[in-house]
Each structure stands twice: as C-alpha cells, then as structure tokens.
Amino acid sequence: MRVRGRCPDCGTVRLLPGRDTAGTPICRDCAGITRDFFCGRCGFEGLLLGGRLCERCTLADTLGRLLNDGTGHVAPALQPMITALLETDRPKSRLIWLRNPNVVRLLQGLATGTIPLTHDGLHRETPWRTVAHLRDLLMDSGVLPRVDRQLMLYQRWLAERLAIIEDPEHRRHLQHFATWHQMRRLRSKAENGPLGRSQTSQAKQEITQAGAFLAWLADRGRTIEHCQQANLDAWHTEKLATRRPAQTFLRWCMKTSRMPRLILPPQAINQDQAPLNQHRRLALLRRTLNDGSLPLRSRVVAALVLLYAQPVSRIVRLTIHDITDDGTTIAVRLGDPSSPLPEPVAELMRAYIRSRQQLPYTSSRSARWLFPGRQPGQPMNPGSLQAHLREIGVPPQRGRTSAIRQLVLQAPAPIIAKALGYHDKTATRLVTEAGGTWSRYAPGDHTR
C-alpha cells in the first residue's frame, strides 16, 4: 500500500497495490482489485485510515484537535507549524510521533497558553529530547526565532548543573563564567554556522572541572580569591589530563581579577600532529576513490579533505546549492570561483547526490544540506563526520594540513586562498611553513 510508480501494464503513475504473475507491482485496475483506495476527502490514492481518510488528512484532523485553543479552532500562532507538518514526505511518522503522551501534553499546553510559546517557556519543560525536537519544528516553521540547537541544549544542561551546586559563591562564579565567557563565545560561533556537539561538550567539561576545582580548594580551607601557586600545582599534579579543562575558567578568573595571577602548567601534546607526507596523502586519496567497499559519504568527504584541504567544520555547512552540474562539469563552491571536481571525484559526487535522497533520516527540512544530520533541519555533526573519516583510516586534521601545504607550493597562495575559502594571511603563512618563497612568482596578474 506504499508502493507508487508507473504501472508496467497501463503506463499510469499511481498506487501499485497489485502484483502480476511475475510479482511485479501493478495498479488496482490491471490487478482486477475491485476495492478503491481513494481518500474520501482529498482523493489521494493510498493507504486509508479511519473514516476512509488518507494519512495526511488524518494527520490534519489530529493536529487540529490537539492544537485547539479552546474556541474550536487552531491557535493562529501555531498554524505555520501545522502547514509544515502536513508538507512532510512521511505523514505516518508524524502520526506515530503524536501518540507520545508528552507530545500531546506539550502541544495542548502551547495551544491553550498554559505553556508560553517562547524559548524560555519551552526551556522549563521536560523531557528535554521531546522538547528539543518540538523546538526544532517551531523554529523551522517560523513560529519561534531561530536559535542554535546545541546552544539551547547547553543552556538547559547548565541550569540543571548550577542548581545542584550548594555553595552560593561557587555557583555565582560559575554562573558569571558561563554568562560572560562561554555563552559569548558559543553565540559568536553559532552566528557563523551550527555548533557541533564537541563544542558544547568542551564547555560542559570546563564547567564540571571548574566546579570540582572550587570544591577541592574549599576542602583545603581556601577560596578562589586566596588561591596560591602551590594549590594550582597540587591540583594539576593529581590528574592533569582530567583537570586541564578547568584552565579556561582559571585564566578567566585571573583576567577578571577574581584570583591572583599564577602560572598554569603548559599543555602537553601527546599526539603527533605532523602533516602526512605527500606519498601517504596520495595513497589515501587513491584508496578513497577506488575502494567501493567504503561508505560513499565518507569517500566524498575524504576527497574534499585530501584534495581540496577543507576542514570538516566547513564541509558540513555545504548545501546542495553549493554543487553545480551542467552535465559535463561538476563543481563545488568552496570559495570564489567554484572548484571543478576532476574524475573520478566528479562521478563520486554525482553518485552520492543520487544516494543521499534515500537516507532514512533526510527530511524535507534537511534537504538543503549536502550532508544532512539525523536531527531535522540540521547538518551532520562535525565530530561524527570526523569519526567516520578515522574509521576509514583518514586523519582529518593531518590530511587537510598536508593538502593545503602541497597546494600552496603548486600555485600562487592568493589564488589558492580565494578558491578554497582560506584567508590570505593563512595561505601566506603556509607557504613559509612549507618551505616555499614568494620570489618564484613572477610579477603580474595571477588571477587568469
């Protein structure tokens, strides 16, 4: 009852509930089925539910009942959300979602006004996963102003975390640190693109370890204002790796004169971050392009990293409109102008674009993202994409660094910077680090 297409017998595009002798789906007329499957309201041919209504009409009735503002009509402010939900490609999934008693409670509360139709109003509701999904729907439909999802989840976590801190002075210090340092930083990043889960996870670790340090200091009869160098040294000596996230809070306290200016232990780098050599980078690129057993999405992302030196944080923000294909050349807009993809990267990208429409979690609201995430309307999380690259043996940071250093040695840095979205100063610095020199560029116009 969900199979649609062109009937091989009569050539009509419609529901194909029947089967011929070979098992091929055919329409009801060609199959000799006497029962019709047309919706009694809109005439759509498909699976019928109660009252001989299709799933979409049933969804409309259910939403109208749940969002009744008490006058017998849908609350006007929520009408855009109803319109967006009815445009979904899978009304069945929304009907299943509306069976959740928490969803019913939240929708009825918003419709009647017992729950304020604001971000602050939703912020006080539970469970947080259901509230977060509903908030996404309200933002996508324009009912609520757009706010970064990860930022909202972090604010909720922060409020719950601060609420369990008993010492009022500790809570005050952490509240000020979160408000005047963390939130300003996160909001600034959110303006340039969706926050990743790793960014808010780092903020959580900073708050957690900062609270642990304040409690540790209090157990020794000291406050942050009277912290001494010996206290900092002892704190970091016990569990350096675990306690390092507290350093952001400690630096902020020193800068704002909340504690004496002391010396923090330097950060130890345990992982070799040296770029890949050219031979290794080309070997990884060759395997990415030729190994059909690897996931298609990971192969496309790896090619953009190894060939065009793109950071994963920028790749996840690419939209389907950043890809142009005139049938002969396919290009990706990384900077200005767009960068043409050579074969076989071009065919790899075409294959991925064809396959992405079949991803089970790609909703109509996520369709604009080249790499859609599992959350409706959101791109894929950068941390998840980096993990996928590591699974196929491609180190994202080292691979990107190796690629950009090779590129600036092969072409003038200003051209590379403009085409790949890098800053001129960054490209110039990379030329120097890679052992290149500006003297090899002849005077003149290098933009042609």
Side-chain angles (χ1 to χ4, degrees):
M1 291 304 297
R2 299 188 186 279
V3 179
R4 307 187 67 83
R6 187 177 300 279
C7 177
D9 290 358
C10 65
T12 307
V13 177
R14 59 184 297 190
L15 183 70
L16 304 177
R19 297 291 183 272
D20 61 16
T21 54
T24 304
I26 56 177
C27 69
R28 59 176 286 271
D29 294 335
C30 295
I33 299 175
T34 57
R35 177 185 174 184
D36 74 75
F37 305 102
F38 295 98
C39 175
R41 180 181 299 170
C42 69
F44 177 78
E45 187 180 23
L47 180 65
L48 300 183
L49 302 179
R52 291 188 60 78
L53 296 179
C54 67
E55 292 174 322
R56 201 172 303 277
C57 288
T58 303
L59 177 61
D61 287 353
T62 305
L63 289 170
R65 184 175 64 256
L66 293 177
L67 298 177
N68 180 0
D69 61 2
T71 65
H73 300 88
V74 171
L78 294 171
Q79 186 60 54
M81 185 180 70
I82 290 185
T83 302
L85 288 173
L86 292 179
E87 291 175 351
T88 183
D89 297 330
R90 297 184 292 272
K92 177 187 176 183
S93 64
R94 291 305 176 193
L95 287 170
I96 295 174
W97 176 63
L98 292 175
R99 296 174 189 169
N100 185 330
N102 287 312
V103 173
V104 172
R105 176 181 58 81
L106 290 169
L107 291 179
Q108 290 178 337
L110 292 173
T112 58
T114 57
I115 298 176
L117 188 54
T118 63
H119 283 296
D120 288 338
L122 289 174
H123 190 69
R124 294 188 288 269
E125 297 299 322
T126 57
W128 71 267
R129 292 184 185 276
T130 304
V131 173
H133 182 67
L134 178 58
R135 190 197 306 273
D136 286 339
L137 293 175
L138 292 168
M139 290 191 296
D140 289 339
S141 58
V143 176
L144 288 180
R146 172 78 49 190
V147 178
D148 188 271
R149 185 175 191 273
Q150 291 297 328
L151 186 61
M152 294 298 297
L153 292 178
Y154 175 67
Q155 287 178 300
R156 186 182 191 92
W157 176 90
L158 179 64
E160 295 173 350
R161 181 73 185 186
L162 294 177
I164 63 175
I165 297 177
E166 297 180 356
D167 190 301
E169 280 300 302
H170 294 181
R171 185 166 57 249
R172 182 177 63 85
H173 284 308
L174 294 176
Q175 178 70 64
H176 289 177
F177 169 66
T179 302
W180 300 111
H181 180 77
Q182 285 189 329
M183 294 305 299
R184 292 175 65 180
R185 182 185 62 191
L186 291 173
R187 287 193 180 100
S188 178
K189 291 182 178 180
E191 290 176 358
N192 298 322
L195 291 177
R197 193 173 301 168
S198 60
Q199 292 168 301
T200 52
S201 294
Q202 176 65 25
K204 291 178 182 179
Q205 291 178 21
E206 291 173 357
I207 289 290
T208 300
Q209 290 304 315
F213 175 74
L214 292 174
W216 180 90
L217 207 58
D219 289 342
R220 285 150 182 80
R222 290 193 176 273
T223 63
I224 189 74
E225 293 84 358
H226 300 94
C227 180
Q228 297 181 350
Q229 185 65 52
N231 300 128
L232 277 188
D233 293 342
W235 161 264
H236 286 95
T237 299
E238 293 180 11
K239 298 177 182 178
L240 177 60
T242 302
R243 294 177 170 179
R244 187 172 295 280
Q247 290 189 359
T248 306
F249 170 73
L250 296 174
R251 291 190 184 96
W252 177 80
C253 287
M254 295 180 200
K255 183 178 180 180
T256 57
S257 301
R258 286 173 167 81
M259 69 178 291
R261 289 192 173 272
L262 305 172
I263 299 175
L264 295 173
Q267 181 174 359
I269 301 177
N270 299 321
Q271 185 177 2
D272 180 17
Q273 294 296 329
L276 301 173
N277 60 49
Q278 177 71 340
H279 176 75
R280 178 59 178 160
R281 180 177 75 95
L282 293 178
L284 288 174
L285 183 59
R286 189 177 301 111
R287 175 171 173 263
T288 295
L289 298 177
N290 297 325
D291 190 348
S293 65
L294 301 178
L296 185 56
R297 178 178 55 194
S298 300
R299 296 170 66 193
V300 171
V301 175
L304 294 176
V305 170
L306 296 170
L307 195 59
Y308 290 101
Q310 292 301 295
V312 172
S313 59
R314 189 183 301 163
I315 292 175
V316 297
R317 294 199 298 269
L318 290 174
T319 69
I320 197 67
H321 303 296
D322 291 321
I323 307 297
T324 57
D325 189 358
D326 60 8
T328 302
T329 302
I330 185 169
V332 56
R333 185 168 57 207
L334 304 172
D336 184 23
S338 296
S339 301
L341 299 179
E343 295 294 348
V345 182
E347 186 53 39
L348 201 65
M349 180 65 79
R350 289 190 179 100
Y352 170 71
I353 291 176
R354 290 193 298 268
S355 69
R356 66 183 288 282
Q357 300 174 353
Q358 306 301 321
L359 293 175
Y361 46 83
T362 303
S363 66
S364 57
R365 293 179 291 127
S366 302
R368 72 187 185 97
W369 297 109
L370 184 62
F371 300 99
R374 294 183 180 275
Q375 296 297 332
Q378 298 291 321
M380 191 173 182
N381 182 276
S384 299
L385 206 52
Q386 288 178 335
H388 290 320
L389 289 181
R390 295 188 183 98
E391 287 176 2
I392 66 172
V394 176
Q397 178 63 33
R398 298 174 64 204
R400 177 175 73 90
T401 304
S402 176
I404 189 61
R405 290 189 175 183
Q406 289 297 325
L407 289 170
V408 296
L409 289 176
Q410 297 169 10
I415 296 178
I416 291 296
K418 190 174 183 180
L420 300 184
Y422 278 79
H423 194 280
D424 288 345
K425 291 183 178 180
T426 302
T428 303
R429 175 177 56 80
L430 290 169
V431 170
T432 304
E433 292 177 356
T437 172
W438 285 94
S439 62
R440 64 190 177 90
Y441 299 139
D445 182 7
H446 294 286
T447 60
R448 293 193 296 271

